[in-house]
Amino acid sequence: MTRAEAQSPSSTSKEPRTERGRRTLRRLLDAAAIEFGEKGFHEASITGITSRAGTALGTFYTYFDSKDEIFRALVQDLSNRVRVTAGQALVGEMSPLETERRALSAFLSFAREHKEIYRIIDESEFVDPASYRSHYESTARRILERLHRGAKQGAFREGLREEHAWAIMGMNVFLGLRYSIWSEGESVDEVAELANSILREGIAAG
Amino acid sequence: MTRAEAQSPSSTSKEPRTERGRRTLRRLLDAAAIEFGEKGFHEASITGITSRAGTALGTFYTYFDSKDEIFRALVQDLSNRVRVTAGQALVGEMSPLETERRALSAFLSFAREHKEIYRIIDESEFVDPASYRSHYESTARRILERLHRGAKQGAFREGLREEHAWAIMGMNVFLGLRYSIWSEGESVDEVAELANSILREGIAAG
């Protein structure tokens, strides 16, 4: 585990020990999201990040060794926030299909509020391929767990596999690109409902 | 229309007038796919392309003004080839659902043969955002046309919209990433069949 991973707010070891430290780290990651989102990795700079965060340059180096390291921590952080956002939408009793609908709706809203997430995750394919891959592999794994849970409850059919999870993740990612990043003309709930109708009944004529 | 677009093999005006010219242009585009796919846009060079193509540097400038221009033409070319590949798989009578299955299967095979396509299209988000957007918008438009045609034939349900087309495109793109680019352990036909089962009946228990 690298130092950046160890010190990410989402990790459990070697986190900042004080509340103040956690707040500073959060400010640096939020500033990095804006800096990398606006300028891209290559044009972004550590001083750009610290100036947005309102921290001294020395403070940056308390947490990260390099631009690469904060970028890696940021991808991990965004990946965690997507997971937490979907999880928070799932309160109370609901069917497994409803779970998928609400998770997508929450993701679409999150992407509208944090448009930089697409550019950053997409750029990680080039800047930090391991993080890119890990983000999608862990997201697909989570979806597959939900599919298997839903099948156990009798709500989803038997035999759902990794392929189905990747298909659903792809749907969600592209709906976010189109209806959260490129335009916001549609209601996120309606987009999520239309996608959910595919999971519910497919697209074949009844 | 830029000169690159005008001279792409897929465009209709200002194409090379001779068969030999068309072959040279094809060789340059194929060499560019390898060069950009291996090195990425920034590290790739025009001499790297001409050396792979076995053409003189001057020949390059007969067709393109710059690295940016051949990159743009290449994204357009790959986008066209994806379209043509899917189209070629659709011979003979088949149901609209079968059409979707075969189009995906053909795409997965094409992506295995041309793994560089993902890196190039994905990098166009940063190097040439208009091409990136245009590739996905035109692909989604084509899927939506198929959905409407299928609904007219009574095979797909009524009310299918752009959202459904983007969802299906997202499924296909992510299945390609996982099962054509990252690993080839699964049969493309089986992956396409599993994805098709979502379109046929959704994932809910019967």
Side-chain angles (χ1 to χ4, degrees):
Chain A
M1 181 177 277
T2 69
R3 190 156 148 251
E5 284 165 320
Q7 295 194 338
S8 144
S10 55
S11 126
T12 49
S13 62
K14 281 199 189 173
E15 284 181 11
R17 299 217 185 128
T18 64
E19 180 55 33
R20 188 162 169 239
R22 275 187 291 275
R23 278 203 307 270
T24 304
L25 177 53
R26 182 73 264 156
R27 263 211 325 278
L28 283 167
L29 288 169
D30 289 344
I34 305 299
E35 175 81 1
F36 288 122
E38 278 184 12
K39 300 195 170 171
F41 180 81
H42 296 288
E43 297 297 316
S45 68
I46 291 174
T47 54
I49 293 168
T50 53
S51 126
R52 288 175 198 271
T55 61
L57 191 58
T59 306
F60 178 92
Y61 288 103
T62 312
Y63 296 95
F64 304 104
D65 284 338
S66 63
K67 187 167 82 165
D68 289 75
E69 198 171 73
I70 194 171
F71 184 84
R72 194 181 320 123
L74 177 62
V75 172
Q76 179 67 50
D77 179 61
L78 290 171
S79 190
N80 288 332
R81 289 174 74 188
V82 167
R83 176 176 55 74
V84 168
T85 299
Q88 282 170 344
L90 310 179
V91 289
E93 288 278 312
M94 70 187 81
S95 73
L97 267 173
E98 175 74 2
T99 297
E100 290 311 308
R101 196 181 63 72
R102 286 213 212 166
L104 172 53
S105 189
F107 169 69
L108 294 173
S109 296
F110 181 81
R112 284 189 179 181
E113 295 296 312
H114 302 275
K115 289 205 167 61
E116 67 281 0
I117 189 173
Y118 270 72
R119 178 169 185 167
I120 292 165
I121 302 268
D122 290 353
E123 195 167 20
S124 74
E125 179 180 356
F126 304 98
V127 172
D128 183 12
S131 293
Y132 179 73
R133 193 163 170 151
S134 158
H135 168 63
Y136 286 123
E137 285 178 341
S138 61
T139 304
R141 205 155 39 232
R142 231 153 45 225
I143 295 174
L144 185 57
E145 284 165 10
R146 294 203 302 261
L147 296 184
H148 284 162
R149 211 154 44 231
K152 251 186 206 156
Q153 295 172 30
F156 291 154
R157 57 184 163 89
E158 295 295 320
L160 294 177
R161 289 164 45 167
E162 192 191 66
E163 287 84 346
H164 298 99
W166 279 79
I168 292 169
M169 177 168 66
M171 283 178 36
N172 296 353
V173 170
F174 269 72
L175 291 169
L177 178 66
R178 172 67 185 78
Y179 299 104
S180 293
I181 310 302
W182 286 353
S183 81
E184 302 192 13
E186 323 277 319
S187 128
V188 294
D189 286 339
E190 193 173 354
V191 172
E193 163 51 26
L194 290 167
N196 203 241
S197 75
I198 300 180
L199 303 185
R200 201 164 51 229
E201 53 169 333
I203 63 168
Chain B
M1 180 178 278
T2 68
R3 189 157 150 251
E5 285 166 321
Q7 293 194 339
S8 144
S10 53
S11 128
T12 49
S13 62
K14 284 199 189 172
E15 283 181 12
R17 298 217 185 128
T18 64
E19 180 54 31
R20 187 163 169 238
R22 275 186 292 274
R23 277 202 307 271
T24 304
L25 178 52
R26 184 70 262 159
R27 257 205 334 272
L28 284 167
L29 288 169
D30 289 344
I34 305 298
E35 175 81 1
F36 287 124
E38 279 184 11
K39 299 194 170 170
F41 180 80
H42 296 289
E43 298 296 317
S45 67
I46 292 175
T47 53
I49 294 168
T50 53
S51 126
R52 287 174 199 272
T55 63
L57 192 59
T59 308
F60 178 92
Y61 289 103
T62 314
Y63 297 96
F64 304 104
D65 284 339
S66 62
K67 188 168 80 165
D68 289 76
E69 198 171 74
I70 194 172
F71 184 83
R72 195 181 318 120
L74 177 61
V75 172
Q76 178 67 50
D77 179 61
L78 290 171
S79 191
N80 288 333
R81 290 175 73 188
V82 168
R83 177 176 56 72
V84 168
T85 298
Q88 281 169 344
L90 310 179
V91 288
E93 289 277 314
M94 68 187 83
S95 74
L97 267 174
E98 176 73 1
T99 298
E100 292 309 310
R101 195 180 65 72
R102 287 212 212 167
L104 173 53
S105 189
F107 169 69
L108 294 173
S109 295
F110 180 81
R112 283 188 180 182
E113 295 298 311
H114 301 276
K115 289 205 167 60
E116 67 281 2
I117 190 175
Y118 270 73
R119 180 172 185 164
I120 292 165
I121 303 267
D122 290 352
E123 195 167 20
S124 74
E125 178 180 356
F126 305 99
V127 172
D128 183 11
S131 294
Y132 180 72
R133 193 162 172 152
S134 158
H135 167 63
Y136 286 122
E137 284 177 343
S138 62
T139 303
R141 204 155 40 234
R142 230 154 45 228
I143 295 174
L144 184 58
E145 283 164 12
R146 294 202 303 262
L147 297 184
H148 285 161
R149 208 152 49 231
K152 250 186 205 154
Q153 295 173 29
F156 290 154
R157 57 184 165 89
E158 295 295 321
L160 294 178
R161 291 165 41 170
E162 191 191 66
E163 287 85 346
H164 298 98
W166 279 79
I168 292 169
M169 176 169 66
M171 281 178 36
N172 296 354
V173 171
F174 269 73
L175 290 169
L177 177 66
R178 172 66 184 80
Y179 299 104
S180 292
I181 310 302
W182 287 353
S183 81
E184 302 192 14
E186 324 277 319
S187 128
V188 295
D189 286 339
E190 192 174 354
V191 172
E193 163 51 27
L194 290 167
N196 203 241
S197 75
I198 300 179
L199 303 185
R200 199 163 54 230
E201 51 168 335
I203 62 168

